[in-house]
PDB file of all heavy atoms in Angstrom:
ATOM      1  N   VAL A  23       7.742  54.769 -43.119  1.00 89.00           N
ATOM      2  CA  VAL A  23       7.027  55.134 -41.894  1.00 89.00           C
ATOM      3  C   VAL A  23       8.040  55.169 -40.762  1.00 89.00           C
ATOM      4  O   VAL A  23       8.752  54.190 -40.530  1.00 89.00           O
ATOM      5  CB  VAL A  23       5.907  54.126 -41.572  1.00 89.00           C
ATOM      6  CG1 VAL A  23       5.197  54.535 -40.282  1.00 89.00           C
ATOM      7  CG2 VAL A  23       4.908  54.072 -42.720  1.00 89.00           C
ATOM      8  N   ALA A  24       8.114  56.280 -40.112  1.00 88.00           N
ATOM      9  CA  ALA A  24       9.116  56.444 -39.059  1.00 88.00           C
ATOM     10  C   ALA A  24       8.441  56.782 -37.739  1.00 88.00           C
ATOM     11  O   ALA A  24       7.426  57.488 -37.692  1.00 88.00           O
ATOM     12  CB  ALA A  24      10.097  57.540 -39.442  1.00 88.00           C
ATOM     13  N   HIS A  25       9.015  56.247 -36.678  1.00 86.00           N
ATOM     14  CA  HIS A  25       8.501  56.526 -35.343  1.00 86.00           C
ATOM     15  C   HIS A  25       9.662  56.433 -34.365  1.00 86.00           C
ATOM     16  O   HIS A  25      10.174  55.347 -34.096  1.00 86.00           O
ATOM     17  CB  HIS A  25       7.403  55.501 -34.976  1.00 86.00           C
ATOM     18  CG  HIS A  25       6.882  55.703 -33.593  1.00 86.00           C
ATOM     19  ND1 HIS A  25       5.914  56.637 -33.305  1.00 86.00           N
ATOM     20  CD2 HIS A  25       7.195  55.117 -32.426  1.00 86.00           C
ATOM     21  CE1 HIS A  25       5.652  56.587 -32.014  1.00 86.00           C
ATOM     22  NE2 HIS A  25       6.423  55.664 -31.448  1.00 86.00           N
ATOM     23  N   ALA A  50       7.474  60.095 -46.812  1.00 89.00           N
ATOM     24  CA  ALA A  50       7.756  59.641 -45.444  1.00 89.00           C
ATOM     25  C   ALA A  50       6.616  60.030 -44.530  1.00 89.00           C
ATOM     26  O   ALA A  50       5.991  61.075 -44.722  1.00 89.00           O
ATOM     27  CB  ALA A  50       9.062  60.244 -44.954  1.00 89.00           C
ATOM     28  N   VAL A  51       6.318  59.168 -43.580  1.00 90.00           N
ATOM     29  CA  VAL A  51       5.281  59.462 -42.597  1.00 90.00           C
ATOM     30  C   VAL A  51       5.934  59.463 -41.226  1.00 90.00           C
ATOM     31  O   VAL A  51       6.652  58.518 -40.867  1.00 90.00           O
ATOM     32  CB  VAL A  51       4.165  58.402 -42.624  1.00 90.00           C
ATOM     33  CG1 VAL A  51       3.081  58.750 -41.605  1.00 90.00           C
ATOM     34  CG2 VAL A  51       3.588  58.274 -44.017  1.00 90.00           C
ATOM     35  N   ASP A  52       5.753  60.520 -40.503  1.00 88.00           N
ATOM     36  CA  ASP A  52       6.262  60.566 -39.132  1.00 88.00           C
ATOM     37  C   ASP A  52       5.087  60.467 -38.186  1.00 88.00           C
ATOM     38  O   ASP A  52       4.205  61.310 -38.189  1.00 88.00           O
ATOM     39  CB  ASP A  52       7.020  61.868 -38.907  1.00 88.00           C
ATOM     40  CG  ASP A  52       7.436  62.003 -37.452  1.00 88.00           C
ATOM     41  OD1 ASP A  52       7.640  60.934 -36.820  1.00 88.00           O
ATOM     42  OD2 ASP A  52       7.547  63.135 -36.969  1.00 88.00           O
ATOM     43  N   THR A  53       5.065  59.403 -37.422  1.00 86.00           N
ATOM     44  CA  THR A  53       3.932  59.210 -36.500  1.00 86.00           C
ATOM     45  C   THR A  53       4.285  59.798 -35.152  1.00 86.00           C
ATOM     46  O   THR A  53       4.476  59.093 -34.166  1.00 86.00           O
ATOM     47  CB  THR A  53       3.588  57.717 -36.359  1.00 86.00           C
ATOM     48  OG1 THR A  53       4.751  57.037 -35.922  1.00 86.00           O
ATOM     49  CG2 THR A  53       3.128  57.133 -37.667  1.00 86.00           C
ATOM     50  N   GLY A  54       4.360  61.109 -35.131  1.00 82.00           N
ATOM     51  CA  GLY A  54       4.522  61.835 -33.871  1.00 82.00           C
ATOM     52  C   GLY A  54       5.775  61.489 -33.108  1.00 82.00           C
ATOM     53  O   GLY A  54       5.725  61.269 -31.903  1.00 82.00           O
ATOM     54  N   SER A  55       6.898  61.454 -33.762  1.00 84.00           N
ATOM     55  CA  SER A  55       8.137  61.095 -33.071  1.00 84.00           C
ATOM     56  C   SER A  55       8.549  62.186 -32.112  1.00 84.00           C
ATOM     57  O   SER A  55       8.278  63.374 -32.327  1.00 84.00           O
ATOM     58  CB  SER A  55       9.243  60.864 -34.107  1.00 84.00           C
ATOM     59  OG  SER A  55       8.903  59.826 -34.966  1.00 84.00           O
ATOM     60  N   ARG A  60      11.755  63.768 -37.312  1.00 86.00           N
ATOM     61  CA  ARG A  60      11.123  64.717 -38.214  1.00 86.00           C
ATOM     62  C   ARG A  60      12.176  65.516 -38.996  1.00 86.00           C
ATOM     63  O   ARG A  60      12.103  65.631 -40.218  1.00 86.00           O
ATOM     64  CB  ARG A  60      10.232  65.647 -37.382  1.00 86.00           C
ATOM     65  CG  ARG A  60       9.646  66.805 -38.121  1.00 86.00           C
ATOM     66  CD  ARG A  60       8.352  66.440 -38.777  1.00 86.00           C
ATOM     67  NE  ARG A  60       8.040  67.381 -39.860  1.00 86.00           N
ATOM     68  CZ  ARG A  60       6.945  67.326 -40.569  1.00 86.00           C
ATOM     69  NH1 ARG A  60       6.069  66.375 -40.349  1.00 86.00           N
ATOM     70  NH2 ARG A  60       6.713  68.199 -41.522  1.00 86.00           N
ATOM     71  N   VAL A  72       6.967  64.928 -46.242  1.00 87.00           N
ATOM     72  CA  VAL A  72       6.837  64.293 -44.918  1.00 87.00           C
ATOM     73  C   VAL A  72       5.426  64.517 -44.410  1.00 87.00           C
ATOM     74  O   VAL A  72       4.974  65.659 -44.342  1.00 87.00           O
ATOM     75  CB  VAL A  72       7.866  64.880 -43.938  1.00 87.00           C
ATOM     76  CG1 VAL A  72       7.676  64.236 -42.580  1.00 87.00           C
ATOM     77  CG2 VAL A  72       9.277  64.625 -44.457  1.00 87.00           C
ATOM     78  N   ILE A  73       4.760  63.465 -44.112  1.00 87.00           N
ATOM     79  CA  ILE A  73       3.384  63.553 -43.636  1.00 87.00           C
ATOM     80  C   ILE A  73       3.406  63.325 -42.128  1.00 87.00           C
ATOM     81  O   ILE A  73       4.104  62.429 -41.621  1.00 87.00           O
ATOM     82  CB  ILE A  73       2.507  62.480 -44.301  1.00 87.00           C
ATOM     83  CG1 ILE A  73       2.536  62.685 -45.819  1.00 87.00           C
ATOM     84  CG2 ILE A  73       1.085  62.526 -43.746  1.00 87.00           C
ATOM     85  CD1 ILE A  73       1.964  61.516 -46.576  1.00 87.00           C
ATOM     86  N   ASP A  74       2.641  64.128 -41.435  1.00 86.00           N
ATOM     87  CA  ASP A  74       2.545  63.940 -39.975  1.00 86.00           C
ATOM     88  C   ASP A  74       1.347  63.088 -39.645  1.00 86.00           C
ATOM     89  O   ASP A  74       0.287  63.220 -40.233  1.00 86.00           O
ATOM     90  CB  ASP A  74       2.398  65.302 -39.296  1.00 86.00           C
ATOM     91  CG  ASP A  74       3.747  65.971 -39.174  1.00 86.00           C
ATOM     92  OD1 ASP A  74       4.679  65.279 -38.679  1.00 86.00           O
ATOM     93  OD2 ASP A  74       3.888  67.139 -39.581  1.00 86.00           O
ATOM     94  N   ALA A  75       1.538  62.246 -38.729  1.00 86.00           N
ATOM     95  CA  ALA A  75       0.430  61.386 -38.280  1.00 86.00           C
ATOM     96  C   ALA A  75       0.433  61.376 -36.764  1.00 86.00           C
ATOM     97  O   ALA A  75       1.467  61.636 -36.141  1.00 86.00           O
ATOM     98  CB  ALA A  75       0.609  59.985 -38.836  1.00 86.00           C
ATOM     99  N   PRO A  76      -0.724  61.082 -36.171  1.00 86.00           N
ATOM    100  CA  PRO A  76      -0.740  60.990 -34.702  1.00 86.00           C
ATOM    101  C   PRO A  76       0.209  59.894 -34.232  1.00 86.00           C
ATOM    102  O   PRO A  76       0.562  58.974 -34.957  1.00 86.00           O
ATOM    103  CB  PRO A  76      -2.201  60.636 -34.388  1.00 86.00           C
ATOM    104  CG  PRO A  76      -2.961  60.942 -35.610  1.00 86.00           C
ATOM    105  CD  PRO A  76      -2.016  60.851 -36.774  1.00 86.00           C
ATOM    106  N   ARG A  77       0.560  60.019 -32.914  1.00 84.00           N
ATOM    107  CA  ARG A  77       1.559  59.118 -32.365  1.00 84.00           C
ATOM    108  C   ARG A  77       1.061  57.672 -32.308  1.00 84.00           C
ATOM    109  O   ARG A  77       1.856  56.721 -32.326  1.00 84.00           O
ATOM    110  CB  ARG A  77       1.906  59.606 -30.950  1.00 84.00           C
ATOM    111  CG  ARG A  77       3.212  59.069 -30.446  1.00 84.00           C
ATOM    112  CD  ARG A  77       3.637  59.761 -29.167  1.00 84.00           C
ATOM    113  NE  ARG A  77       4.566  58.879 -28.460  1.00 84.00           N
ATOM    114  CZ  ARG A  77       5.802  58.629 -28.858  1.00 84.00           C
ATOM    115  NH1 ARG A  77       6.266  59.207 -29.957  1.00 84.00           N
ATOM    116  NH2 ARG A  77       6.584  57.824 -28.177  1.00 84.00           N
ATOM    117  N   ASP A  78      -0.248  57.516 -32.245  1.00 82.00           N
ATOM    118  CA  ASP A  78      -0.732  56.143 -32.092  1.00 82.00           C
ATOM    119  C   ASP A  78      -1.146  55.526 -33.431  1.00 82.00           C
ATOM    120  O   ASP A  78      -1.900  54.584 -33.470  1.00 82.00           O
ATOM    121  CB  ASP A  78      -1.904  56.096 -31.109  1.00 82.00           C
ATOM    122  CG  ASP A  78      -3.046  56.980 -31.576  1.00 82.00           C
ATOM    123  OD1 ASP A  78      -2.833  57.741 -32.556  1.00 82.00           O
ATOM    124  OD2 ASP A  78      -4.130  56.926 -30.961  1.00 82.00           O
ATOM    125  N   THR A  79      -0.651  56.099 -34.495  1.00 83.00           N
ATOM    126  CA  THR A  79      -1.000  55.533 -35.793  1.00 83.00           C
ATOM    127  C   THR A  79      -0.252  54.234 -36.005  1.00 83.00           C
ATOM    128  O   THR A  79       0.957  54.148 -35.763  1.00 83.00           O
ATOM    129  CB  THR A  79      -0.636  56.520 -36.919  1.00 83.00           C
ATOM    130  OG1 THR A  79      -1.068  57.820 -36.534  1.00 83.00           O
ATOM    131  CG2 THR A  79      -1.273  56.088 -38.221  1.00 83.00           C
ATOM    132  N   GLY A  80      -0.964  53.259 -36.494  1.00 83.00           N
ATOM    133  CA  GLY A  80      -0.310  51.993 -36.798  1.00 83.00           C
ATOM    134  C   GLY A  80       0.409  52.077 -38.125  1.00 83.00           C
ATOM    135  O   GLY A  80       0.251  53.031 -38.897  1.00 83.00           O
ATOM    136  N   ALA A  83      -1.991  52.076 -41.163  1.00 86.00           N
ATOM    137  CA  ALA A  83      -2.714  53.327 -41.342  1.00 86.00           C
ATOM    138  C   ALA A  83      -1.789  54.401 -41.897  1.00 86.00           C
ATOM    139  O   ALA A  83      -2.170  55.171 -42.785  1.00 86.00           O
ATOM    140  CB  ALA A  83      -3.301  53.761 -39.996  1.00 86.00           C
ATOM    141  N   ALA A  84      -0.556  54.398 -41.367  1.00 87.00           N
ATOM    142  CA  ALA A  84       0.400  55.398 -41.830  1.00 87.00           C
ATOM    143  C   ALA A  84       0.697  55.211 -43.312  1.00 87.00           C
ATOM    144  O   ALA A  84       0.743  56.184 -44.088  1.00 87.00           O
ATOM    145  CB  ALA A  84       1.679  55.299 -41.002  1.00 87.00           C
ATOM    146  N   ALA A  85       0.869  53.954 -43.702  1.00 87.00           N
ATOM    147  CA  ALA A  85       1.166  53.683 -45.110  1.00 87.00           C
ATOM    148  C   ALA A  85       0.009  54.129 -45.995  1.00 87.00           C
ATOM    149  O   ALA A  85       0.203  54.676 -47.086  1.00 87.00           O
ATOM    150  CB  ALA A  85       1.458  52.196 -45.299  1.00 87.00           C
ATOM    151  N   MET A  87      -2.040  56.495 -45.333  1.00 86.00           N
ATOM    152  CA  MET A  87      -2.038  57.944 -45.426  1.00 86.00           C
ATOM    153  C   MET A  87      -1.075  58.389 -46.531  1.00 86.00           C
ATOM    154  O   MET A  87      -1.380  59.280 -47.335  1.00 86.00           O
ATOM    155  CB  MET A  87      -1.596  58.550 -44.087  1.00 86.00           C
ATOM    156  CG  MET A  87      -2.682  58.510 -43.023  1.00 86.00           C
ATOM    157  SD  MET A  87      -2.043  58.957 -41.409  1.00 86.00           S
ATOM    158  CE  MET A  87      -1.946  60.719 -41.596  1.00 86.00           C
TER     159      MET A  87
END
Side-chain angles (χ1 to χ4, degrees):
Chain A
V23 179
H25 178 82
V51 181
D52 174 29
T53 57
S55 299
R60 172 87 200 183
V72 178
I73 300 167
D74 280 310
R77 199 170 158 71
D78 59 351
T79 315
M87 284 170 77

